[in-house]
């Protein structure tokens, strides 16, 4: 395993009607959780290209993070926003964190204009490396506050990727990037308040 994430740090939950069931029988009522999505977009369908990763998570009232869904596909630029809109229709996130470096800025702003996609928060990497950007996710996971759904088809692949993550630009670490970005956005902004701040994206006002 890599020296960053450990498989044993992740905990597990089950989907039940209107609730998430955590270890020990603890319940998180779905309507009391804040759902959000994070996108790490790639720009090619070539077999050697990076994947686009779209992860949807829920923040419970006590601050635990449940990873509800992970989409990992090779998508051409023109297919990223429609796929994101499909995810948003399925899960109903309150906001979307979208990596917005270089070409991705245009895609993020296209997403902000889509009627099925909520508030888009553009996230830029700046001068920070992957390991620094993943720090908040690493800490929260090590604390046992990140949960995966029991039996979901994508979980094993996600665990393989997190276990091999070193922060040194591995060929395919898109799921970790999307997950880490979502946690970074969650920690950076007061997204859990009942009155969310107005966000301007590409000249468009979104709430």
């Amino acid at each position: 395993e890599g020296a960053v994430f450990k498989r044993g740090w992740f905990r597990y939950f089950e989907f039940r009607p209107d609730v998430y069931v955590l270890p020990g029988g603890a319940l998180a009522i779905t309507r009391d959780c804040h759902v959000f999505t994070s996108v790490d977009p790639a720009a090619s369908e070539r077999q050697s290209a990076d994947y686009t990763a779209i992860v949807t998570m829920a923040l419970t009232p006590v601050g635990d993070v449940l990873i509800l869904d992970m989409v990992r596909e090779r998508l051409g630029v023109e297919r990223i926003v429609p796929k994101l809109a499909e995810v948003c229709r399925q899960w109903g996130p309150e906001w979307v964190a979208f990596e917005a470096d270089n070409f991705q800025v245009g895609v993020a702003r296209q997403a902000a204009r889509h009627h099925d996609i909520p508030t888009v928060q553009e996230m830029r990497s700046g001068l920070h490396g992957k390991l620094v950007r993943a720090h908040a996710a690493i800490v929260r996971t090590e604390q046992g506050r990140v949960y995966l759904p029991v039996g979901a088809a994508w979980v094993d692949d996600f665990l393989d990727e997190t276990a091999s993550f070193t922060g040194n630009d591995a060929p395919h670490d898109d799921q970790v990037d999307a997950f880490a970005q979502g946690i970074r956005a969650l920690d950076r902004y007061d997204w859990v308040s009942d009155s969310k701040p107005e966000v301007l994206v590409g000249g468009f006002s979104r709430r």
Side-chain angles (χ1 to χ4, degrees):
E1 291 194 350
V4 181
F5 288 98
K6 303 297 183 185
R7 295 174 189 266
W9 291 351
F10 291 94
R11 305 180 75 184
Y12 292 86
F13 74 96
E14 295 184 41
F15 288 103
R16 297 287 174 82
D18 302 319
V19 298
Y20 306 117
V21 182
L22 279 62
L27 302 179
I29 300 173
T30 55
R31 67 172 180 270
D32 293 338
C33 297
H34 294 266
V35 177
F36 59 100
T37 294
S38 177
V39 186
D40 179 60
S44 174
E45 295 174 283
R46 291 181 294 107
Q47 288 301 108
S48 60
D50 283 343
Y51 291 86
T52 288
I54 305 173
V55 58
T56 299
M57 297 178 267
L59 179 70
T60 73
V62 297
D64 291 326
V65 171
L66 315 182
I67 303 182
L68 306 178
D69 183 55
M70 177 72 73
V71 173
R72 181 177 183 260
E73 296 183 19
R74 286 190 171 100
L75 300 171
V77 174
E78 74 286 352
R79 295 178 58 205
I80 294 174
V81 171
K83 174 57 71 172
L84 174 58
E86 177 184 318
V87 169
C88 290
R89 287 191 293 270
Q90 178 181 358
W91 293 102
E94 298 173 24
W95 51 269
V96 173
F98 202 113
E99 183 178 351
D101 292 314
N102 304 314
F103 86 92
Q104 299 159 332
V105 173
V107 185
R109 293 177 181 177
Q110 180 185 353
R113 294 190 291 267
H114 197 290
H115 57 85
D116 287 331
I117 298 174
T119 297
V120 172
Q121 177 61 46
E122 295 182 9
M123 302 291 293
R124 292 179 172 79
S125 59
L127 300 176
H128 301 301
K130 287 178 179 282
L131 189 58
V132 172
R133 300 200 303 273
H135 177 73
I138 294 166
V139 171
R140 194 181 286 256
T141 306
E142 185 177 13
Q143 292 173 340
R145 306 195 71 181
V146 177
Y147 294 74
L148 302 173
V150 172
W154 53 266
V155 166
D156 286 344
D157 185 61
F158 174 73
L159 286 173
D160 287 344
E161 188 174 302
T162 56
S164 63
F165 178 76
T166 63
N168 294 323
D169 288 315
H172 299 302
D173 50 14
D174 322 272
Q175 296 175 95
V176 176
D177 289 345
F179 164 52
Q181 175 180 264
I183 299 300
R184 191 159 50 97
L186 181 65
D187 290 348
R188 180 182 296 180
Y189 303 100
D190 182 23
W191 290 112
V192 297
S193 67
D194 291 333
S195 178
K196 299 184 183 64
E198 185 175 11
V199 179
L200 295 177
V201 180
F204 291 83
S205 174
R206 303 295 299 272
R207 288 185 183 271

